[in-house]
Amino acid sequence: MRILLLGMGSRGDVQPLVALGQRLQRMGYAVSLAAPADLGHVVAGSGVDFEPLSFDLEAPLREGLGRDSLRGSARTQVREARLMRHVMAQTANALAADVARLVDRADAVVSGALTLDLVDALLTSEGRRARPAKPHLYAVFAPVWPSAHGDSVALALRPRATSWLNRAWSGTAGRVAFDLFRPAGDLVRKGKGLPRKHFRDYVAAAERTPTILAASPHVVPPAPDWPPALRQTGYWVRYDADGSPDRSRGRSLEPGLEAFLAAGDAPVFVGFGSMPTPDPAGVSRDVVSVLGRLSVRGVVSEGLAGLRVERSAEVLGIGPTPHDALFPRCAVVVHHGGAGTTAAAVRAGVPQVVVPHAADQPYWGRRMADLGVAPPPIARKDLTPARLERALEVALSPGARETAYALGERVRAEDGAGDAARLVDAYLTRRA
């Protein structure tokens, strides 16, 4: 049986699916993973077949559209939502055609947030309770389901309380999200002569689709009001050739980085992943000055933020580097709060400073603070050298270090990708 994994999104949407694909292959399934063409390097070397979509996704973020739109994410999430709406609308035709071709060749499909409605449109005939023509599962990497429990839902109005307002607000956020990623599904339905779906139809489709949340219960506590279709596992971690998920913790890095790490104390990592910034030179200067005042070494990741630092004995600039190999060798990880980066930092057992830009990133920053492995998050619009310095002082404290180490041990003991593969296998066996 061939299973198609759909990794529409950034690296954080693709990398966990690589881990799931590896485990499904070990169970005897043929697996292919579809993702934007410029993310093939994330899949390379895993043994999972890569199916490139006919467009890039990081390029719009790196070039004018992303720079102009996402610079607003430092101030408001509204402009970030506009960017995603524009990107999804521009790629809708290509995405619909690519996914239709790939789904036709597959026996089962695992989709993500940006492709759930599209796959449902391809597989399901008219009717809210219609059964998909092929097995279809839904993979999510953040708790996006409406819930009254603030610590168990990414977009809670009262984050530290149990309240009907949380459920109402997260449901409203779901309507906004549906408007972002519905264009491709609408195209498919129009081609079939079917009416455009309403939000209630999307909710019905999501509720009947078996869903797996790939986030450790030690980080995201299970909520009693989650739907019956939802199952939770630990994080999905890519395996090395010998089958060990933790082998990467001792893996060699790029020679220059290896030499820097060996030359002194563990550094502070600073990187904002796929989040551009309107003033990369200024942010880079501020980071270097704060590290100097605290007398700590630093590794600064360029990312789409375009951060640049001059190499010295105390600071090193790096390009793309495996987080699971680098983070365990750092003293603190300063990052944007993406789900994948947060998971890697948690597994590494090191303290964090979270600078959320948009979407679910404020949630992860808040959870890290609540768990005692980070100070309160600093919104990107509020990031100043003084705030960063105070946050790093907290993160560098013995208490934060001990708490992060203990949390990392608990999370590393989980087999999230293996548990997810067994859930997929059990569902496919029942369907068969």
Side-chain angles (χ1 to χ4, degrees), residues 86-111:
H86 188 94
V87 169
M88 293 303 295
Q90 284 206 325
T91 60
N93 283 288
L95 180 63
D98 289 342
V99 173
R101 169 177 52 84
L102 294 169
V103 166
D104 186 59
R105 291 167 17 198
D107 299 305
V109 185
V110 178
S111 62

Side-chain angles (χ1 to χ4, degrees), residues 3-9 32-36 51-55 88 91-123 134 136-137 181 183-185 187-188 192:
I3 300 176
L4 171 66
L5 310 178
L6 289 174
M8 177 62 179
S32 58
L33 197 164
E51 296 278 4
L53 300 175
S54 57
F55 53 87
M88 293 303 295
T91 60
N93 283 288
L95 180 63
D98 289 342
V99 173
R101 169 177 52 84
L102 294 169
V103 166
D104 186 59
R105 291 167 17 198
D107 299 305
V109 185
V110 178
S111 62
L114 297 179
T115 52
L116 172 67
D117 182 62
L118 169 58
V119 174
D120 188 70
L122 289 166
L123 294 181
K134 297 179 180 181
H136 178 203
L137 299 98
F181 49 66
L187 281 173
V188 169
K192 289 182 172 183

Side-chain angles (χ1 to χ4, degrees), residues 131-336:
R131 178 173 174 165
K134 297 179 180 181
H136 178 203
L137 299 98
Y138 181 27
V140 293
F141 310 120
V144 295
W145 286 95
S147 172
H149 299 266
D151 55 357
S152 301
V153 60
L155 298 173
L157 193 61
R158 299 180 63 189
R160 293 180 175 84
T162 298
S163 168
W164 66 270
L165 287 171
N166 287 333
R167 171 171 279 280
W169 179 254
S170 50
T172 300
R175 291 176 181 272
V176 175
F178 177 54
D179 188 50
L180 297 183
F181 49 66
R182 69 179 301 166
D186 285 345
L187 281 173
V188 169
R189 293 187 181 93
K190 183 178 180 180
K192 289 182 172 183
L194 298 176
R196 195 169 187 250
K197 291 295 185 181
H198 299 288
F199 179 66
R200 65 177 180 274
D201 302 307
Y202 168 75
V203 172
E207 287 180 343
R208 69 170 178 258
T209 304
T211 303
I212 307 175
L213 169 60
S216 170
H218 293 295
V219 176
V220 180
D225 57 354
W226 280 345
L230 179 63
R231 297 289 185 272
Q232 184 178 14
T233 69
Y235 295 115
W236 299 353
V237 180
R238 176 171 170 166
Y239 272 54
D240 281 347
D242 68 349
S244 168
D246 287 326
R247 177 74 178 274
S248 59
R249 293 170 67 83
R251 189 170 64 203
S252 293
L253 297 162
E254 185 272 328
L257 177 55
E258 280 285 358
F260 180 83
L261 293 171
D265 294 335
V268 170
F269 170 91
V270 181
F272 299 134
S274 59
M275 296 286 104
T277 186
D279 183 19
V283 173
S284 300
R285 285 194 302 270
D286 290 344
V287 166
V288 172
S289 66
V290 168
L291 296 176
R293 286 196 296 273
L294 293 175
S295 298
V296 294
R297 304 196 318 147
V299 170
V300 179
S301 178
E302 175 185 328
L304 291 184
L307 305 183
R308 296 280 197 284
V309 296
E310 288 191 23
R311 177 166 184 166
S312 68
E314 303 303 319
V315 182
L316 176 69
I318 61 172
T321 302
H323 289 166
D324 53 1
L326 174 59
F327 285 0
R329 302 173 69 178
C330 295
V332 175
V333 174
V334 180
H335 63 98
H336 60 298

